[in-house]
Amino acid sequence: MSQSASAEWTAVRRARLRIAVITGAIITLLVTVVGGVAHTVMVDAQNDQVWRELRYGAGYGDLTSPPVCTWLYAPGVAPLPNAPAGFPLRADVHRVRVTHEAVERTVERDHTVYLVRTQVRADGDVVQAVFDMRFQLADRSHLWFALGVAEVVGLLAAAVTGAFLGRRAVAPLAEALTRQHRFVTDASHELRTPITQVHTRAQVLARQAADQDLPVPHRDGLSRLVASTGRLGEVLDDLLLSASLAAGPARPSERRPVDLVALARAVVAEESDRARARRLTVVVDGPSHPLFVDGIQSALRRAVGELLSNAIRHTPAEGRIGMTLSRSGGLVVLAVTDTGPGFDPAAVEQLFLRFHRGSGDGGRYGLGLALLREVVTRHGGTVAATGRPGHGARFTIRLPECAPPPVVPAVARPVTAAPARPADVPRRGRPRPADGPARPGGSPR
């Protein structure tokens, strides 16, 4: 899974298009080659026939009654009324009289082509024969027109054939991707409950070990077990979200205007204990009014939470994290900056690769920022990262702004007493690790 689901399906669509284009190109090449061969054969055959007739007419033709499309010029013979202007060619006549050698040439005039032969007959007269290629040129134009029609029909046939072949050829790959995403979704759902149970049991054992003052190695081992099960639960959540986005990227029934300002403040509040434990200062700088984006609230909360968790993970004690929200050119901009170690600008793209492991002890294998970019992309936005070694990092999300939700008038409802909830009944949901972090592993840099 080195690429996102969106890239995989994009590759499938491109493969189908590529097959259709290649099929069309092959048909076009075949039609062009056939047309070129046919045109060459026709031109050569016509020229050979015309020159043979022209040579015979110049040597033996009746000067007063030449063949169709042919005119014969000789001394003492009046040209025919329909003779083309500009003939005979006096220079060729003079040359033949001097050299007694035949002269042949091609003349383009009056939107047509004339073949001209000048020679000396057996009786000593110099005769010039002129042939009009008008009809032969028309035949060639008709040939190219027919080839053009064949090309259009061939392209249409290529489009249909290419689409059919592309769908058939890529169908196994598309089916494999569908099965892969279905497996990820099913496996994540099936694993979530037992992993949650293991995680909860590990937390209970860790508390009992602390209460009973068991040896330090036992308590440390249980703490690592709690952190590992929590990390595994986070990976499962990432896989579920990624699979759900791939299965239905639009999910219109779940999309609604989301106040990104309120969502960001809520995420910061959730991570406040973790930030205080690491002695970090987290500052939210946003407008007092809401900034709405159209999307899935749970997915956007996960994306913003990943940015903040990533900043907390890589910011040393006594550091500062800033989250700013603003509006710019129809976009809502959310930026998270930190005073951590930063990263090499050349490694920006690697940060967003799935299961990429960052350098040092702060990296882990996981989805992290790759899932963040996938969520933002599916919401029509972009995410960018900037930073330098030793100068912190800045991650910026840009999402299209949308209109606020319509105001629904409140409807009075009867007041009823809610049943008391037993104090010993736990709420549903996967508990977080005992050590507090929302995302134990963080994202690699």
Side-chain angles (χ1 to χ4, degrees), residues 60 64 119 136 197 220 222 272 277 293 367 386 444:
Y60 308 100
T64 60
Q119 71 174 51
Q136 284 74 12
Q197 293 173 350
D220 291 344
L222 289 173
S272 58
V293 296
L367 299 178
T386 56

Side-chain angles (χ1 to χ4, degrees), residues 1 11 30 63 97 101 120 122 147 167-168 172-173 190 199 270 321 337 341 348 381 400 402 410 430 443:
M1 296 180 65
L30 290 176
L63 298 179
R97 283 176 179 169
E101 295 181 358
V120 178
L147 292 174
R167 189 172 298 274
R168 290 293 299 272
L173 176 59
E190 293 298 327
H199 182 75
E270 291 176 357
I321 298 174
T337 57
V348 170
C402 73
R430 180 173 55 78
S443 295

Side-chain angles (χ1 to χ4, degrees), residues 303-315:
V304 177
E306 172 61 34
L307 278 188
L308 183 58
S309 177
N310 183 68
I312 293 176
R313 173 74 176 174
H314 295 91
T315 303

Side-chain angles (χ1 to χ4, degrees), residues 392-434:
R394 177 185 180 90
F395 289 82
T396 305
I397 293 176
R398 292 178 173 84
L399 293 168
E401 187 177 12
C402 73
V407 179
V408 179
V411 179
R413 297 181 178 179
V415 179
T416 58
R421 183 185 183 90
D424 57 346
V425 177
R427 294 182 179 271
R428 284 191 170 186
R430 180 173 55 78
R432 290 183 178 176

Side-chain angles (χ1 to χ4, degrees), residues 96-397:
V96 170
R97 283 176 179 169
V98 174
T99 62
H100 293 276
E101 295 181 358
V103 176
E104 293 181 349
R105 70 173 63 251
T106 301
V107 178
E108 296 185 8
R109 183 182 297 172
D110 300 330
H111 307 290
T112 186
V113 175
Y114 297 96
L115 300 186
V116 182
R117 176 180 175 85
T118 309
Q119 71 174 51
V120 178
R121 280 192 171 187
D123 58 6
D125 291 336
V126 176
V127 177
Q128 186 171 95
V130 179
F131 186 90
D132 189 349
M133 295 284 292
R134 190 182 310 271
F135 295 110
Q136 284 74 12
L137 296 177
D139 291 340
R140 298 173 190 178
S141 300
H142 293 158
L143 173 63
W144 283 115
F145 177 77
L147 292 174
V149 173
E151 177 71 18
V152 173
V153 175
L155 288 177
L156 293 177
V160 176
T161 305
F164 175 76
L165 293 178
R167 189 172 298 274
R168 290 293 299 272
V170 183
L173 176 59
E175 183 179 358
L177 290 176
T178 302
R179 290 182 177 181
Q180 173 190 346
H181 296 311
R182 187 183 300 118
F183 169 78
V184 171
T185 303
D186 295 342
S188 301
H189 274 296
E190 293 298 327
L191 290 174
R192 169 178 278 185
T193 299
I195 288 177
T196 301
Q197 293 173 350
V198 172
H199 182 75
T200 304
R201 183 59 179 165
Q203 286 183 314
V204 172
L205 292 176
R207 294 192 189 99
Q208 291 177 352
D211 295 340
Q212 297 175 9
D213 198 20
L214 293 181
V216 174
H218 289 75
R219 297 199 302 269
D220 291 344
L222 289 173
S223 296
R224 287 194 295 270
L225 177 61
V226 170
S228 298
T229 55
R231 184 177 298 111
L232 183 57
E234 292 293 340
V235 172
L236 282 178
D237 287 343
D238 289 346
L239 290 173
L240 275 173
L241 180 56
S242 179
S244 63
L245 289 173
R251 300 171 70 184
S253 61
E254 300 183 27
R255 298 181 74 101
R256 56 181 55 88
V258 178
D259 181 6
L260 204 60
V261 176
L263 185 145
R265 295 185 187 278
V267 170
V268 172
E270 291 176 357
E271 297 285 359
S272 58
D273 292 340
R274 186 181 173 199
R276 281 195 296 268
R278 295 179 62 88
R279 303 193 305 276
L280 301 177
T281 301
V282 181
V283 179
V284 180
D285 182 13
S288 57
H289 55 82
L291 297 175
F292 289 100
V293 296
D294 182 57
I296 304 172
Q297 183 168 355
S298 60
L300 292 175
R301 178 184 291 270
R302 200 63 184 277
V304 177
E306 172 61 34
L307 278 188
L308 183 58
S309 177
N310 183 68
I312 293 176
R313 173 74 176 174
H314 295 91
T315 303
E318 309 296 340
R320 185 179 187 278
I321 298 174
M323 182 179 292
T324 60
L325 296 103
S326 60
R327 177 194 292 118
S328 175
L331 300 174
V332 176
V333 182
L334 184 148
V336 176
T337 57
D338 61 56
T339 56
F343 55 85
D344 185 358
V348 170
E349 283 302 318
Q350 296 180 0
L351 299 178
F352 296 98
L353 295 179
R354 290 190 174 203
F355 302 106
H356 168 68
R357 186 171 181 84
S359 59
D361 59 358
R364 73 171 177 92
Y365 288 100
L367 299 178
L369 296 176
L371 180 62
L372 161 69
R373 181 163 66 174
E374 185 175 344
V375 170
V376 173
T377 302
R378 293 302 178 94
H379 285 76
T382 59
V383 58
T386 56
R388 289 186 300 165
H391 292 79
R394 177 185 180 90
F395 289 82
T396 305
I397 293 176

